[in-house]
Amino acid sequence: MRTPLIARLALWLALPAHAQPAPADGGDAAPRLHANLSLSLLSDSRERGLSNSANRPSAKAALELLHASGLFAELELLRVSKAQYPGGSGLRTQLAGGYRWGDPDTWHYELALLHTRFPGSAQTGLADYREVLDPVSGEVVDLEPVLTRVKPTTTELQARLSYDQFSLRYYQTLSRDFYGINSETICAALEDPLLSYECLQQGPQHSRGSVYLELAYRYRVGKAGSLEARVGRQRVRHFREFDTTS
């Protein structure tokens, strides 16, 4: 599959949040903590080969706190499609925290935890079937579905190896499910009640341990934009039908 190029218009605002006391000679000390704000307009909010915005324009805002030690924390807000994340507000929030080290002009590295939420959004899941008994004979006359709601909330471990503008990223799902993919949501999506019943009889399955590997290159355009090319492979544990290459 051809790797999409996503044009981004970004504005970076560097705000020193804390500075060390000035040295005795009167020189300025380098700040220990910075806050970076980035605002992006996206032609398509596309990640891992899939569009989060139904192939429509989107917007993203991110606030990042960087410490001189290499520790960082980031909050990202992304506009997503309400049709793809039903019941939600059309917003994705992602909180990340971790550690970076190395030389940004040559080899540099990152290890982080990512927690992603879609406020209000949830999928319909099929937890089980309840037997319906005849009030007179006591025999089973029907099966009634027991529905549940499954949120696409996901927690992942991210490791990144970079050289200059090239980067290789690895993600592994630590939460119970990867974006709400489990046997409850898969079985509920089957239109035939018999097939959905047989699906549940295979036992509960979750997608913890899913992995994604991505190679990317970013080309900066002036001071306020960039072009980025990516190629990646997503593997969803226990649900190979959701594996993708992008």
Side-chain angles (χ1 to χ4, degrees):
M1 181 181 297
R2 187 175 62 181
T3 304
L5 291 178
I6 302 178
R8 300 186 177 190
L9 175 63
L11 173 66
W12 288 275
L13 178 62
L15 303 173
H18 175 72
Q20 294 177 325
D25 60 6
D28 294 332
R32 298 287 293 173
L33 185 67
H34 290 272
N36 297 327
L37 174 66
S38 67
L39 305 173
S40 305
L41 298 178
L42 310 175
S43 59
D44 181 13
S45 173
R46 183 171 293 272
E47 295 180 348
R48 308 187 188 192
L50 302 174
S51 175
N52 285 315
S53 56
N55 299 313
R56 298 176 64 85
S58 181
K60 180 172 69 175
L63 176 62
E64 184 179 50
L65 298 178
L66 301 167
H67 191 266
S69 65
L71 294 173
F72 74 94
E74 182 178 19
L75 173 63
E76 179 184 284
L77 305 178
L78 176 68
R79 191 69 180 172
V80 298
S81 169
K82 292 183 179 180
Q84 292 176 235
Y85 300 96
S89 60
L91 184 70
R92 185 193 77 176
T93 65
Q94 187 174 83
L95 183 63
Y99 181 65
R100 293 174 183 152
W101 69 100
D103 185 345
D105 294 324
T106 56
W107 292 103
H108 47 289
Y109 316 90
E110 178 180 313
L111 189 64
L113 285 176
L114 285 70
H115 183 69
T116 306
R117 301 176 64 90
F118 298 83
S121 178
Q123 304 176 64
T124 299
L126 179 60
D128 200 355
Y129 276 95
R130 182 186 298 115
E131 294 181 346
V132 179
L133 304 179
D134 184 282
V136 178
S137 66
E139 296 180 352
V140 177
V141 294
D142 199 1
L143 293 175
E144 183 179 273
V146 179
L147 302 180
T148 185
R149 301 288 283 171
V150 179
K151 296 181 179 181
T153 302
T154 302
T155 301
E156 295 177 289
L157 171 69
Q158 174 197 275
R160 181 172 68 174
L161 170 67
S162 303
Y163 182 83
D164 193 19
Q165 300 302 312
F166 288 94
S167 66
L168 181 66
R169 300 187 184 187
Y170 173 82
Y171 298 80
Q172 180 164 332
T173 302
L174 303 180
S175 53
R176 191 179 189 186
D177 297 315
F178 170 70
Y179 286 83
I181 297 177
N182 60 29
S183 53
E184 293 181 355
T185 55
I186 298 303
C187 296
L190 299 175
E191 297 181 0
D192 189 329
L194 179 58
L195 292 178
S196 63
Y197 177 79
E198 292 176 349
C199 177
L200 283 179
Q201 303 316 301
Q202 299 177 18
Q205 290 186 324
H206 297 272
S207 48
R208 176 184 285 133
S210 298
V211 298
Y212 178 69
L213 187 65
E214 176 188 86
L215 178 64
Y217 174 74
R218 173 175 293 183
Y219 177 75
R220 296 200 176 279
V221 181
K223 296 182 179 180
S226 64
L227 293 174
E228 191 169 74
R230 304 179 182 182
V231 60
R233 174 66 175 171
Q234 174 72 60
R235 296 188 63 184
V236 181
R237 189 182 182 192
H238 294 141
F239 302 94
R240 295 181 60 184
E241 61 269 30
F242 288 95
D243 291 355
T244 58
T245 299
S246 57

